[in-house]
Amino acid sequence: MSGGGYYSKCSVSRPVEWVKGKTVGSGSFGSVHLAMNKATGGLFVVKSAESEAGLQFLESEAEILESLDSPHVVKCIGKEMCGGGKKLNLFIEYMAGGSLADVTEQFGGKLDEMVIRLYTREILLGLKYLHENGIVHSDLKCRNVLLSSLGDVKLADFGCSKRVKQHSAAGIAGSPLWMAPEMIQGGGLDCASDIWSLGCTIIEMATGNLPWAGKISNPMAAVLRIACSDDRPNFPSHFSQQGLDFLEKCLERDPKKRWTAEQLLHHPFVLDKNLGNNSSFVAAEKYAASSPASVLDKSIFPETDYSDESSSDEEDEDEEDSPVPKPSGNRFFPFSMLCENKIGVSEQQLRFGEQWSGSEEEWITVRTS
């Protein structure tokens, strides 16, 4: 299939003629395909949407990406409106390494802590850039962080992203297991919510499981627990004290006390000892906090995949074989809308957690305007 239509102004050369390749992903907005620039042979990715809701979110992502220029954010190559304005194609640079979720799965189901440190620092640099420009990503997770074959890390999927000054509390979207408590409660959009999601993303990398795995019986239970309890996801039992302290700073339930991306960039956890300054790691012994890995007693839910401080020695070992869901396109809703019964889902959908087997397609996809 060749492209045609009109294009936007973008940061790198956009294709004039292109051919669509195989599907590499999909979401609630539409599809994602590998594509080739016929003039250069270069590869890129095309995200396409035809539904009214899909067009809205893809146009929002295009508007955000076109305004950004950072080595830590995927670059927009162009966009094309066709079909009489009923279909939008968004062209984005190709990241050959895939997502962090793909890499974690391909390398044994969990990543070494040193690699996590390196990736976390790159993610923080991307978040710092976004936040300095008044943008909240709103859907940070391993599946939305991409890698090049050389290890470059870039933030992707800006369909849920918002500009802080132009957005109210209503209509927030994101992925529930990564969302900060104040977001689910409908408390408004703030950069601090991305930091909570970063903590959840680190747990993904360290365990190969989703945040809240073993603590949550179904998606609706997840919403209630995140919004209404004082709990946090269990921290990886094998993490260093630096790593645990870093997670404490990310997963502080009070957003006003949560560290910023700028502050976290100075944390010993993301200061690479291979960069020639070992003093930061020597000083880390004095810096590391002695706070517990979890604020509540052992979960009442079965098959806990990582333990908290109250667990026994036998429970401290991560259970690698437990089934874990891996949703990708799951956008959710403010908790207040759940209470007011305004989300427009059926009773059967709300009870679907009873047969929750771990497939990413089994998550309810809900977005609000």
Side-chain angles (χ1 to χ4, degrees), residues 90-367:
L90 177 61
F91 307 138
I92 300 172
E93 70 170 312
Y94 174 55
M95 299 290 286
S99 71
L100 271 184
D102 298 328
V103 171
T104 301
E105 181 179 356
Q106 291 164 4
F107 286 86
K110 60 182 70 174
L111 298 180
D112 181 83
E113 185 170 328
M114 177 53 67
V115 177
I116 294 173
R117 293 179 183 220
L118 295 172
Y119 288 170
T120 299
R121 180 172 180 81
E122 295 299 302
I123 295 171
L124 278 171
L125 290 169
L127 290 179
K128 178 176 179 289
Y129 173 78
L130 293 181
H131 297 169
E132 288 176 345
N133 285 275
I135 294 172
V136 180
H137 187 281
S138 295
D139 199 20
L140 179 64
K141 55 185 177 181
C142 280
R143 199 160 293 281
N144 291 339
V145 180
L146 304 182
L147 281 80
S148 74
S149 58
L150 298 178
D152 299 319
V153 176
K154 299 191 180 188
L155 303 183
D157 197 340
F158 286 79
C160 290
S161 300
K162 304 292 181 182
R163 299 186 186 277
V164 178
K165 294 182 180 180
Q166 299 176 1
H167 193 67
S168 63
I172 295 171
S175 300
L177 294 182
W178 291 261
M179 288 179 71
E182 67 273 12
M183 294 288 285
I184 296 180
Q185 294 164 0
L189 190 69
D190 190 83
C191 296
S193 62
D194 279 345
I195 302 302
W196 177 282
S197 299
L198 172 63
C200 294
T201 301
I202 292 171
I203 290 174
E204 271 192 279
M205 288 189 281
T207 67
N209 293 333
L210 302 186
W212 299 101
K215 280 195 169 189
I216 302 300
S217 59
N218 61 62
M220 299 313 299
V223 174
L224 292 170
R225 186 153 190 166
I226 296 169
C228 302
S229 76
D230 291 327
D231 203 0
R232 297 178 294 185
N234 280 331
F235 293 3
S237 59
H238 61 278
F239 242 29
S240 67
Q241 193 62 42
Q242 293 174 18
L244 295 175
D245 185 67
F246 189 91
L247 286 173
E248 289 280 349
K249 302 300 188 288
C250 294
L251 296 172
E252 164 61 55
R253 288 189 67 95
D254 185 347
K256 295 181 180 179
K257 297 180 181 179
R258 209 173 293 151
W259 278 29
T260 65
E262 174 67 33
Q263 290 174 310
L264 289 170
L265 279 167
H266 297 285
H267 193 286
F269 180 68
V270 295
L271 295 178
D272 184 9
K273 63 183 179 181
N274 295 321
L275 295 180
N277 182 10
N278 293 337
S279 61
S280 62
F281 278 72
V282 173
E285 291 295 326
K286 299 180 180 179
Y287 181 92
S290 58
S291 50
S294 180
V295 296
L296 294 185
D297 292 335
K298 186 175 72 173
S299 169
I300 63 173
F301 296 94
E303 295 186 28
T304 301
D305 292 341
Y306 16 92
S307 61
D308 57 29
E309 191 177 53
S310 64
S311 301
S312 65
D313 292 338
E314 291 79 7
E315 292 170 327
D316 281 343
E317 296 181 4
D318 296 337
E319 295 188 336
E320 301 179 35
D321 297 327
S322 59
V324 179
K326 295 187 177 182
S328 66
N330 41 323
R331 317 295 184 182
F332 229 71
F333 47 87
F335 181 68
S336 59
M337 297 191 70
L338 171 65
C339 299
E340 296 170 7
N341 194 28
K342 293 181 179 180
I343 59 175
V345 296
S346 66
E347 181 181 355
Q348 181 181 6
Q349 287 175 308
L350 292 177
R351 293 189 291 106
F352 83 101
E354 296 172 3
Q355 64 261 1
W356 192 32
S357 63
S359 170
E360 52 189 66
E361 280 75 22
E362 291 176 0
W363 282 77
I364 304 172
T365 299
V366 181
R367 282 167 151 164

